[in-house]
């Protein structure tokens, strides 16, 4: 015990009051720094006699050591508190359930497309994909729409500000029918010289565009084209294939089909295909699901094939419409607004 004890007590109290390592270092400077209180005491030794220096010097050194010990203790305490806080912040509750990864789902139209592809795939049809920006020739001329014929305006086509070599505007394809021509020409070229040519059996699903928008029409919509060409393919085959498709698609063996005479430039004869459900809210009502017909000889010629030898049928249907019927959706626009509350119902 000596007159320096209060200084040790003051230093310990200051250190204890420092809440962070930085503030602790400031407190240390006040006692042990260049102008600190212990340093001031040591400077005072110079004025003392040699004997006094000895005893006073020893007292001051002892005081300094006690203050340094108090400082080390506080440093250790602060470091431990910091580690504790960090461990608490990073604490892991291993009993919590794991975080689920957000699983996406297929859009109802994509589901419908896949369903169509699977059913026709099972009947030996290839699946083809093609450009959405088309030439005038592919969209119209090759499909037996005479140039400047009024039938061309049956479809409110979007034109693209770009011309082909013949000086005609490109268009956003108003139907998937150009894929008949693209696929058949590639097939004919591939099997040139092979006699008889293997049959063409293909569907071409994809996006199509028309200037049209209301509860049952959207400027972008989907179609799926179908084509079957061979030496002996008839309207009877179309009926069998399409009936089989509809019954599988709607999972209803007693679904009825009706082929209603119609007109398309690329088929002769042509028919609209209507279906009627045997049960459910639409029971007995005729609903149009596709256009179809025997491919016109002019179109077969544009395939690069001899229409005297090759014959067959084509059809074009609307997957959006099929999805609406299958899921009971009454507004086509719901499919394209992408409201997650609507879309989640299908997953
Ligand atoms: N392309 C027609 C349309 O968009 C649908 C269609 C009708 C396609 C008859 C065909 C067909 O292949 O044979 O309205």
């Amino acid at each position: 015990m000596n007159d320096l004890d209060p200084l040790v007590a003051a230093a310990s109290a200051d250190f204890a009051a420092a809440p962070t390592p930085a503030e602790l270092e400031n407190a240390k400077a006040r006692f042990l720094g260049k102008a600190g209180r212990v340093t001031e005491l040591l400077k005072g030794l110079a004025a003392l006699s040699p004997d006094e220096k000895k005893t006073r010097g020893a007292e001051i050194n002892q005081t300094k050591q006690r203050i340094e010990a108090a400082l080390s203790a506080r440093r250790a305490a602060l470091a431990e508190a910091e580690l504790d806080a960090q461990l608490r912040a990073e604490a892991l509750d291993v009993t919590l359930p794991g975080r689920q990864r957000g699983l996406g789902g297929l859009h109802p139209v994509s589901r419908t497309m896949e369903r169509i592809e699977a059913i026709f795939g099972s009947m030996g049809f290839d699946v083809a994909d093609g450009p959405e920006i088309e030439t005038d020739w592919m969209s119209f001329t090759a499909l037996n729409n005479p140039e400047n014929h009024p039938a061309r305006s049956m479809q409110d086509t979007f034109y693209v500000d770009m011309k082909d070599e013949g000086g005609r505007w490109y268009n956003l394809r108003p139907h998937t029918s150009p894929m008949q021509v693209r696929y058949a020409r590639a097939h004919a070229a591939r099997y040139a010289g092979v006699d008889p040519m293997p049959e063409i059996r293909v569907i071409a699903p994809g996006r199509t565009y028309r200037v049209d928008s209301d509860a049952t029409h959207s400027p972008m919509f989907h179609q799926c084209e179908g084509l079957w060409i061979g030496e002996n393919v008839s309207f009877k085959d179309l009926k069998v294939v399409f009936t089989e498709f509809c019954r599988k698609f709607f999972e209803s063996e007693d679904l009825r089909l009706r082929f209603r005479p119609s007109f398309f430039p690329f088929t002769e004869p042509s028919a609209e295909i209507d279906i009627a459900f045997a049960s459910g809210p639409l029971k007995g009502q005729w609903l149009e699901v596709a256009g179809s017909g025997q491919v016109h000889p002019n179109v077969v010629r544009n395939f690069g094939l001899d229409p005297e030898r090759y014959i067959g049928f084509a059809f074009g249907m609307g997957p959006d419409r099929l999805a609406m019927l299958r899921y009971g959706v009454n507004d086509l626009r719901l499919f394209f607004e992408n409201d997650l509350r609507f879309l989640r119902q299908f997953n």
Side-chain angles (χ1 to χ4, degrees):
M1 278 289 181
N2 58 41
D3 67 318
L4 295 178
D5 284 350
L7 185 58
V8 176
S12 298
D14 253 25
F15 296 162
T20 65
E23 283 173 75
L24 181 59
E25 293 314 303
N26 288 339
K28 172 198 165 185
R30 286 198 291 280
F31 293 92
L32 304 172
K34 263 191 201 149
R37 295 181 50 190
V38 174
T39 318
E40 291 302 316
L41 287 173
L42 289 170
K43 282 180 193 160
L45 288 176
L48 303 180
S49 71
D51 270 358
E52 283 172 326
K53 260 187 200 156
K54 211 172 171 185
T55 42
R56 191 57 176 168
E59 278 172 16
I60 296 173
N61 269 331
Q62 209 191 3
T63 301
K64 191 179 170 189
Q65 280 164 15
R66 288 167 65 197
I67 291 175
E68 279 169 347
L71 176 68
S72 300
R74 181 62 184 154
R75 272 194 189 135
L78 280 180
E80 197 176 325
E82 194 176 15
L83 183 64
D84 271 358
Q86 194 184 341
L87 288 176
R88 233 176 295 121
E90 292 172 5
L92 205 64
D93 182 350
V94 293
T95 66
L96 281 176
R99 241 173 256 164
Q100 304 267 328
R101 184 185 292 205
L103 271 188
L106 280 185
H107 189 281
V109 174
S110 302
R111 279 179 183 277
T112 302
M113 292 289 214
E114 289 199 345
R115 198 172 166 76
I116 294 170
E117 288 170 24
I119 296 170
F120 277 103
S122 77
M123 295 193 277
F125 280 73
D126 192 9
V127 178
D129 203 6
E132 290 169 28
I133 296 178
E134 247 324 347
T135 62
D136 189 82
W137 192 79
M138 286 288 181
S139 285
F140 302 111
T141 314
L143 293 162
N144 199 37
N145 283 276
E147 294 193 8
N148 308 318
H149 189 280
R152 255 176 147 97
S153 60
M154 266 165 70
Q155 297 168 341
D156 305 295
T157 310
F158 283 110
Y159 284 93
V160 178
D161 193 6
M162 179 171 72
K163 286 184 174 174
D164 61 25
E165 293 124 49
R168 295 198 162 261
W169 301 110
Y170 277 85
N171 58 75
L172 294 185
R173 63 178 181 187
H175 51 184
T176 44
S177 305
M179 278 310 293
Q180 287 184 29
V181 188
R182 287 184 175 277
Y183 188 91
R185 287 172 74 87
H187 185 96
R190 181 170 169 203
Y191 293 107
V194 179
D195 197 358
M197 175 190 80
E199 287 189 348
I200 296 172
R201 222 177 289 167
V202 65
I203 59 164
R207 281 183 281 270
T208 44
Y209 305 83
R210 286 184 204 178
V211 186
D212 218 351
S213 187
D214 59 39
T216 51
H217 297 89
S218 146
M220 188 286 300
F221 58 106
H222 298 87
Q223 279 198 350
C224 181
E225 198 73 12
L227 179 68
W228 186 346
I229 298 286
E231 283 184 303
N232 194 19
V233 182
S234 73
F235 223 94
K236 175 192 71 190
D237 299 302
L238 167 63
K239 278 189 120 168
V240 170
V241 161
F242 212 83
T243 302
E244 175 71 3
F245 163 72
C246 289
R247 292 188 172 159
K248 281 240 169 71
F249 184 87
F250 290 106
E251 295 169 276
S252 162
E253 281 307 313
D254 38 18
L255 187 96
R256 284 185 299 151
L257 272 82
R258 171 172 88 173
F259 288 73
R260 182 162 42 86
S262 183
F263 168 79
F264 297 103
F266 28 90
T267 44
E268 181 60 37
S270 306
E272 306 274 4
I273 306 177
D274 301 335
I275 60 167
F277 294 106
S279 58
L282 295 170
K283 179 181 170 177
Q285 211 172 304
W286 286 112
L287 308 157
E288 185 184 315
V289 292
S292 68
Q294 183 171 303
V295 180
H296 194 288
N298 287 346
V299 178
V300 174
R301 204 168 288 119
N302 289 330
F303 290 167
L305 298 173
D306 174 7
E308 295 297 331
R309 184 163 178 203
Y310 294 104
I311 191 168
F313 62 80
F315 56 85
M317 59 184 158
D320 307 324
R321 188 72 50 88
L322 293 181
M324 288 173 80
L325 290 174
R326 183 165 153 82
Y327 296 118
V329 173
N330 56 14
D331 191 330
L332 176 72
R333 289 169 293 198
L334 285 167
F335 284 141
F336 305 121
E337 282 166 3
N338 286 330
D339 183 333
L340 285 178
R341 289 168 302 179
F342 172 74
L343 296 179
R344 282 209 181 96
Q345 301 176 87
F346 300 92
N347 287 289

